[in-house]
Amino acid sequence: TSTNALMERLHLKYQQKPWSETLKLVRVCMDKPLQRPDSNTPDGPLLSCMEKIQRALHDKSLFSVMNRLESLSKQKGLNAHVSPSGTACYITSSMFYIEVQLEKDGEVMDVKLAHLGEDPVVKLIFSQLFLFGRMKNYDAFGKSLEDLSNLYQIPGNSEMQAKGYFALQALEKDLYSMSLLERTQDVNRVTEVLHGKVGHLVPRTGATPMNIEFYISPYQVLEAELNPDSQVCGTKAVVAVEGTDTLHKLPLSPLFVDSQAGEDGNAAFLPLTDELSMDLPAAFVLKFHQPIPIHNLNTNKKNHLIPGIQITGLKLAPLYELIVQATLQEKCSEDLSTHKSCFFVSLPDCPKHCYFINKGSEKSDFAGALVSKIPFSHPKCVPGVIEILRHQVAYNSLISSCVSEKHVHE
């Protein structure tokens, strides 16, 4: 049947029915779980159509908001049910639940989050809560649901996933303790970013994972000095735990020894015993928002760009070429060829400079790779990795300052 003929049949079928009845039918159909094919490939057109209908429906009542919450939860693979009073929606998984309390008119009063074994607390990002409550920003709320689910993305049953979450908690506590080492009361954020053992650390809040800000450029430092109220954002890494194909011994309890330091001046940790750890199909990771070009420090091993850290799936390439491509994509938002090109850069009170960048080859000492995340299994690895990343991103910033979208071919 052609699309036009199908639409004509639908018009004829429903033209005598009141709109309220049709609307009720649409909501009932959307409330039913979507039947997926065996391949688990979602029906793109159907899902897109359902989302468009949901966006078009105005949330002017408690009933409509509750309907939207239930539908959004199911789209994210979570369960949802309404309290007997009809003013609370519980969004649940095997590892956490969210309680959304609403007013009679559909406005959000409160959002509480509870992880496995924890008491529910108001812990979701308050800015998102405000947007969600007043402007119905379901996209932001849906992203929070995804981020919460991703905390438990390791293979195995719910008990194994819970162990992965406990390991992440232990790592976060150790990193926070390390961030307090040698910290004075009057230390500012820029100093923490550039010189702190683990940079400027922001703890996990609700669905937002812990992140480490470890580098800020000279331009951003100057902006922060000239405008103290400005919130300049440097290079960050997100702290997470991810599933792996092999087992790694991860701590399930904090290992950092409080107020003590090792003989070499570094932080001291408890030994990784069987009582304090467990073999899990997972690893800790530092994840970057954009891949970072990193120099291959071990020229004989392409998977060991950083000493002691194995990163699989890397493709070596000339480091300068990677830096130039990453810079051009950031500045121009498009893929520009960098073959045989020079770059014109304007400086204050100075003629234009013209830079030629020798890219070398992937077999030279100046080879590198684009790195999206760095895996590790012990909190003591983090300060060393952060220090290497600081030097690398500073070097990348220097080279990228010679790159401009204004370039010509020889």
Side-chain angles (χ1 to χ4, degrees):
T1 305
S2 68
T3 303
N4 289 337
L6 180 61
M7 294 304 296
E8 184 63 28
R9 285 170 56 189
L10 287 171
H11 286 148
L12 291 174
K13 182 177 180 178
Y14 291 103
Q15 65 180 354
Q16 302 300 325
K17 294 179 179 289
W19 170 245
S20 59
E21 188 174 331
T22 303
L23 181 61
K24 183 179 179 181
L25 177 61
V26 170
R27 291 190 183 279
V28 169
C29 291
M30 293 183 69
D31 194 45
K32 292 181 179 179
L34 190 62
Q35 297 298 320
R36 301 288 178 86
D38 294 337
S39 63
N40 289 328
T41 303
D43 189 333
L46 180 57
L47 280 177
S48 176
C49 181
M50 289 175 64
E51 289 175 2
K52 287 180 180 178
I53 293 175
Q54 285 283 20
R55 292 176 187 277
L57 296 175
H58 297 291
D59 300 318
K60 294 183 178 179
S61 67
L62 177 64
F63 172 78
S64 60
V65 173
M66 205 65 80
N67 245 316
R68 187 75 185 272
L69 284 173
E70 289 185 282
S71 177
L72 179 64
S73 302
K74 290 173 183 177
Q75 288 178 28
K76 304 302 179 182
L78 301 171
N79 301 314
H81 64 274
V82 181
S83 66
S85 65
T87 58
C89 180
Y90 296 93
I91 302 170
T92 64
S93 76
S94 59
M95 307 308 298
F96 68 88
Y97 80 87
I98 296 174
E99 177 185 340
V100 183
Q101 293 280 354
L102 297 112
E103 302 273 13
K104 293 291 185 181
D105 60 358
E107 290 296 341
V108 175
M109 291 173 53
D110 221 350
V111 180
K112 294 183 179 180
L113 166 67
H115 289 281
L116 185 69
E118 297 179 358
D119 294 327
V121 292
V122 180
K123 206 173 181 179
L124 227 54
I125 303 174
F126 290 103
S127 60
Q128 282 191 349
L129 172 59
F130 176 77
L131 288 171
F132 174 64
R134 302 299 174 189
M135 299 170 58
K136 303 298 185 294
N137 192 338
Y138 292 103
D139 289 340
F141 191 72
K143 180 64 168 59
S144 294
L145 296 181
E146 288 182 15
D147 290 340
L148 282 170
S149 297
N150 289 337
L151 286 176
Y152 302 96
Q153 292 303 308
I154 67 171
N157 54 25
S158 58
E159 182 180 354
M160 191 69 73
Q161 292 174 345
K163 297 293 186 184
Y165 177 68
F166 295 150
L168 177 62
Q169 277 187 316
L171 171 67
E172 291 172 340
K173 290 177 181 178
D174 279 337
L175 292 180
Y176 180 73
S177 297
M178 280 191 280
S179 73
L180 301 179
L181 275 181
E182 302 174 6
R183 182 180 181 180
T184 58
Q185 290 184 344
D186 58 346
V187 65
N188 60 39
R189 175 172 151 264
V190 172
T191 302
E192 264 194 325
V193 170
L194 294 176
H195 303 290
K197 279 189 175 294
V198 290
H200 176 69
L201 187 145
V202 179
R204 172 166 53 91
T205 54
T208 303
M210 172 181 281
N211 67 77
I212 293 173
E213 188 177 8
F214 59 86
Y215 178 76
I216 190 168
S217 73
Y219 289 115
Q220 292 171 316
V221 172
L222 181 61
E223 183 181 346
E225 290 176 352
L226 296 177
N227 185 7
D229 294 330
S230 65
Q231 287 296 320
V232 293
C233 183
T235 307
K236 296 181 179 181
V238 170
V239 179
V241 62
E242 287 189 350
T244 59
D245 296 330
T246 57
L247 294 176
H248 297 90
K249 185 178 287 293
L250 299 183
L252 299 183
S253 299
L255 300 177
F256 179 78
V257 180
D258 192 26
S259 300
Q260 293 186 29
E263 295 179 358
D264 55 358
N266 294 322
F269 296 89
L270 295 172
L272 200 60
T273 62
D274 292 338
E275 290 77 18
L276 297 178
S277 65
M278 182 176 179
D279 289 330
L280 294 173
F284 301 133
V285 290
L286 294 176
K287 299 169 66 175
F288 311 116
H289 296 294
Q290 296 293 334
I292 296 177
I294 294 183
H295 178 216
N296 185 12
L297 296 175
N298 294 317
T299 54
N300 296 327
K301 299 179 180 179
K302 75 172 184 178
N303 290 336
H304 290 75
L305 269 67
I306 297 175
I309 301 290
Q310 183 174 1
I311 310 173
T312 58
L314 294 178
K315 183 179 179 182
L316 291 183
L319 178 64
Y320 289 159
E321 183 176 1
L322 294 175
I323 296 174
V324 169
Q325 288 176 347
T327 305
L328 287 175
Q329 288 176 3
E330 181 181 347
K331 291 183 177 180
C332 311
S333 301
E334 57 183 278
D335 188 16
L336 296 176
S337 172
T338 60
H339 182 63
K340 290 185 178 180
S341 59
C342 58
F343 302 95
F344 291 97
V345 179
S346 298
L347 300 176
D349 301 323
C350 189
K352 285 184 178 179
H353 284 201
C354 180
Y355 293 96
F356 293 85
I357 297 179
N358 180 7
K359 292 175 290 189
S361 69
E362 64 274 10
K363 295 182 180 180
S364 71
D365 291 340
F366 290 98
L370 284 176
V371 177
S372 300
K373 58 186 177 183
I374 297 177
F376 62 99
S377 58
H378 197 288
K380 69 180 180 182
C381 299
V382 176
V385 171
I386 292 298
E387 192 64 19
I388 290 175
L389 288 173
R390 277 195 187 115
H391 283 82
Q392 183 66 65
V393 178
Y395 188 75
N396 294 356
S397 298
L398 174 65
I399 302 301
S400 64
S401 70
C402 304
V403 177
S404 167
E405 64 273 18
K406 298 176 182 178
H407 68 295
V408 296
H409 293 283
E410 290 179 303

